[in-house]
Amino acid sequence: MTDGLRAIVGAAHVLTLAGDVSAYLEDWTGQYSAAALAVVRPGSTAEVAEVVKLCNTYGIAIVPQGGRTGLCGGGVPISDQLSIVVSLTRMNAVRSLDVAGRTAVVEAGVVLETLHSTALEHGLIFPLMFGAKGSCTIGGNLSTNAGGSNVVRYGTTRELCLGIEAVMPDGSVINALTGLRKDNTGYDLKDLLIGAEGTLGIITAAVVKLFAAPRAISTAFLSVVSLDAAIEVLNRLQDFTGGGVEAFEYMPQPAVDVICKVFPNTRRPLDGEVGTGILVEVTSSRPQDAEELEDGSIRLEAGVMELLSVLMEEGLVLDAMLAQSVQQRNELWKMRELILEAITASGPAYHLDISLPLAQIAPFVDAMDPAMAHLGLQPLTVGHLGDGNLHYALSAAEGHIWETLPLETAKELVFEKLVALNGSFSAEHGIGQSKLSVMSALKEPAQLAVMRDIKRALDPQNLMNPGKLVPRA
Ligand SMILES: Cc1cc2nc3c(=O)[nH]c(=O)nc-3n(C[C@H](O)[C@H](O)[C@H](O)COP(=O)(O)OP(=O)(O)OC[C@H]3O[C@@H](n4cnc5c(N)ncnc54)[C@H](O)[C@@H]3O)c2cc1C
């Protein structure tokens, strides 16, 4: 088998030695890892297709892999099926960029931050944005339908994708890279592969949407009176700016405290307590919003400041800090992006990635925070609040020992509440291995049955990333 792989991709790109493969076998969380027959690094779609065909012949499972920043154990092998890892990182070309059409054709292994900088060279942005941008890949972003902080304005990765090229489980190649915005010619296979976490095929390239780079940016940290007030503030900002809110991130006191504790050089965003803290960013690509006013301020910033004064007078906003420089803006975003590392460094935690209708966010937090505290757990929450997405991490409250805490009871309470409030148990990180049991328990049986039918029809040998996303019947 490995000789066959070498013949396809070249000996240098088939890794089998323990020292060479170890990094590819463990995910970012460090919680999931298993052996693989080899790590294969194809350099073209044709090579990926040949590798998949060879695996079909030998009955070897395939784990597609990008930047390994996934948080659910999706991009690493499982122990009970012999597999190879197919790393897409060599397929990292931006094949073309259409400035007028505002699209780019990118290979799966392009690192998100590379696409950011390539687009910016043409005065454009690719708006997908989150902490792992320096390592995660477009293929991984599509396969997890990644979200991040700009979904409130631009949608998830699914909404940023116009076409896909992929190798299906039998080794056939589908090429849907036309980039058409309208194409009603049957089932949308692109949408089937997006969010499939590598269980239905290997994405090798995609057409993505680009947008005008903002001319004016206004970034602020707010302390608001309550979560309900935060939603009111979001809507008022949206109305005032014509939908210009690019990010609306929930960063309450415990989250800011844990970041400042683990990274002591972090500057606290406000002089006093942040309470219900919100990191908000508003942008505009309209030239008039970037105009400098007589007092030296930028029109967009002046407008946001004016609105915030009104919101303060109304008692919705208690305190606010507007970034006065690029450095201050970067500091605020750096703080936001450090949260996962801070929680990970500060001790064990159970990470929930949930979403709720906006109106149910406050009822959820108001009920669950005290319930968790009662069990000895401290929720360390941040969230893409504009999308109703909370990262609700349960850690040990001060004076409690993690191993002795009733985590299962806590999870049951959270899931019960989520179901009651019409929420989702996986907002943006996916299912992978880590949420298979919740998927079994909470996903509507009729939907699960259709998913299993699709998986069986496309991958009858169950070789494409087995043991992920679709729980066993
Ligand atoms: C610090 C940090 C912050 C994060 N913040 C966010 C956030 O705000 N929002 C968010 O959505 N996620 C976030 N994530 C999670 C993660 O970055 C995303 O899920 C990302 O999209 C994964 O991309 P990747 O290239 O690392 O994929 P991997 O981890 O390598 O793989 C993820 C899944 O996609 C599959 N896959 C990868 N490439 C392909 C391909 N070419 N074809 C088919 N399947 C493939 C894998 O098999 C696996 O199931 C964060 C992670 C970290 C570490």
Side-chain angles (χ1 to χ4, degrees), residues 297-424:
S297 65
I298 302 298
R299 188 180 296 281
L300 179 77
E301 285 174 346
V304 169
M305 195 117 75
E306 201 182 303
L307 177 66
L308 287 178
S309 314
V310 174
L311 296 171
M312 284 173 105
E313 271 168 32
E314 291 177 19
L316 291 169
V317 174
L318 304 173
D319 197 1
M321 184 278 264
L322 252 82
Q324 299 296 322
S325 61
V326 174
Q327 190 194 335
Q328 274 187 1
R329 173 185 179 233
N330 290 345
E331 278 174 9
L332 285 174
W333 277 112
K334 176 94 185 143
M335 176 183 70
R336 168 63 185 89
E337 288 171 1
L338 283 174
I339 183 68
L340 192 53
E341 276 180 65
I343 295 175
T344 307
S346 71
Y350 182 77
H351 292 265
L352 287 146
D353 160 40
I354 59 178
S355 64
L356 289 145
L358 281 191
Q360 304 299 352
I361 295 271
F364 175 87
V365 172
D366 291 348
M368 285 299 105
D369 277 10
M372 295 301 118
H374 186 68
L375 296 175
L377 289 155
Q378 154 88 75
L380 294 170
T381 317
V382 290
H384 309 299
L385 188 59
D387 327 321
N389 177 191
L390 296 179
H391 295 310
Y392 199 71
L394 301 176
S395 65
E398 214 168 311
H400 291 268
I401 298 162
W402 176 253
E403 287 74 17
T404 65
L405 291 169
L407 188 59
E408 288 311 312
T409 311
K411 287 200 263 182
E412 270 168 36
L413 282 178
V414 169
F415 291 135
E416 218 171 86
K417 196 76 187 164
L418 269 181
V419 171
L421 298 178
N422 279 328
S424 166

Side-chain angles (χ1 to χ4, degrees), residues 28 63-71 74-75 88 108 129-132 135-149 197-198 201-204 336-337 340 384 391 428-429 465:
W28 191 89
V63 181
Q65 191 181 83
R68 284 194 310 278
T69 66
L71 300 172
L88 277 295
M129 188 63 73
F130 52 86
S135 314
C136 66
T137 63
I138 299 302
N141 301 155
L142 287 160
S143 300
T144 57
N145 186 25
S149 49
E197 299 182 32
I202 304 183
I203 296 171
T204 48
R336 168 63 185 89
E337 288 171 1
L340 192 53
H384 309 299
H391 295 310
E428 59 175 10
H429 294 160
N465 215 4

Side-chain angles (χ1 to χ4, degrees), residues 152 229-239 245 248 358 386:
V152 64
I231 308 296
E232 166 81 14
V233 169
L234 168 66
N235 289 332
R236 296 277 288 277
L237 275 163
Q238 291 286 36
D239 294 347
V245 176
F248 199 80
L358 281 191

Side-chain angles (χ1 to χ4, degrees), residues 189-236:
L189 301 181
K190 144 179 84 63
D191 272 339
L192 197 58
L193 285 155
I194 295 173
E197 299 182 32
T199 60
L200 297 180
I202 304 183
I203 296 171
T204 48
V207 188
V208 295
K209 292 182 195 168
L210 304 175
F211 298 82
R215 287 188 163 89
I217 301 177
S218 179
T219 311
F221 198 96
L222 317 177
S223 171
V224 296
V225 71
S226 67
L227 265 169
D228 276 331
I231 308 296
E232 166 81 14
V233 169
L234 168 66
N235 289 332
R236 296 277 288 277

Side-chain angles (χ1 to χ4, degrees), residues 43-74:
S44 69
T45 304
E47 286 182 9
V48 175
E50 289 310 307
V51 167
V52 171
K53 282 179 193 160
L54 191 70
C55 287
N56 268 279
T57 308
Y58 285 91
I60 302 290
I62 301 152
V63 181
Q65 191 181 83
R68 284 194 310 278
T69 66
L71 300 172
C72 302

